């Protein structure tokens, strides 16, 4: 909360999907925040979900909007009503199969063909990458 901090002020919030999907990487939350006089900071808790397999950095949004029946004069700033939340990947690339070995820094102990197979499986999970890979294979072979 910035600007005049006199009196109470209420805003509502809601999460919105980006590349991170509700139920897969985070749980959707919505609610309202009541700021008392001179109060300027509130925290919203959003459960982050761990899904097996590497997904890269994904993001979702938290939108603020004026609550119905809000006190006259309550306003949102032009730029500070939406925030981007980035969820950093906690899995190893391309999967967690060799996580312990990678974390110990013993990369030479990872079998090349096993690692390649994990990479292929990761690519085949994504429908766009899967179809592009199949097309590229047939173009290069035939």
């Amino acid at each position: 909360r910035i600007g005049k901090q006199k009196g109470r002020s209420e805003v509502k919030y809601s999460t919105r999907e980006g590349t991170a999907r509700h139920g897969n990487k985070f749980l959707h939350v919505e609610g309202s925040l009541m700021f008392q006089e001179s109060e300027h900071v509130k925290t919203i808790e959003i459960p982050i979900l761990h899904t097996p397999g590497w997904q890269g950095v994904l993001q979702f949004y938290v939108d603020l909007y004026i609550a119905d029946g809000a006190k006259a004069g309550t306003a949102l700033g032009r730029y500070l009503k939406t925030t981007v939340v980035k969820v950093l990947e906690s899995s190893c690339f391309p999967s967690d199969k060799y996580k312990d070995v990678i974390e110990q820094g013993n990369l030479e102990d990872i079998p090349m063909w096993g690692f390649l197979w994990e990479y292929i499986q990761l690519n085949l999970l994504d429908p766009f990458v899967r179809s592009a890979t199949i097309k590229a294979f047939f173009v290069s072979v035939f």
Side-chain angles (χ1 to χ4, degrees), residues 2 64 75-83:
I2 58 176
L64 298 176
L76 293 175
R78 181 180 297 181
Y79 303 109
L80 299 177
K81 57 187 171 196
T82 296
T83 189

Side-chain angles (χ1 to χ4, degrees), residues 85-133:
V85 179
K86 294 193 180 273
V87 182
L88 303 178
E89 184 56 58
S90 62
S91 296
C92 287
F93 177 84
S95 76
D96 284 338
K97 183 173 184 175
Y98 301 108
K99 183 177 183 171
D100 294 338
V101 178
I102 291 170
E103 288 177 347
Q104 293 171 4
N106 299 328
L107 300 180
E108 64 280 351
D109 293 342
I110 298 174
M112 179 180 66
W113 293 110
F115 192 79
L116 178 61
W117 178 243
E118 294 298 313
Y119 177 73
I120 291 168
Q121 287 178 316
L122 170 68
N123 283 306
L124 294 178
L125 289 174
D126 183 299
F128 177 77
V129 175
R130 181 176 50 242
S131 66
T133 301

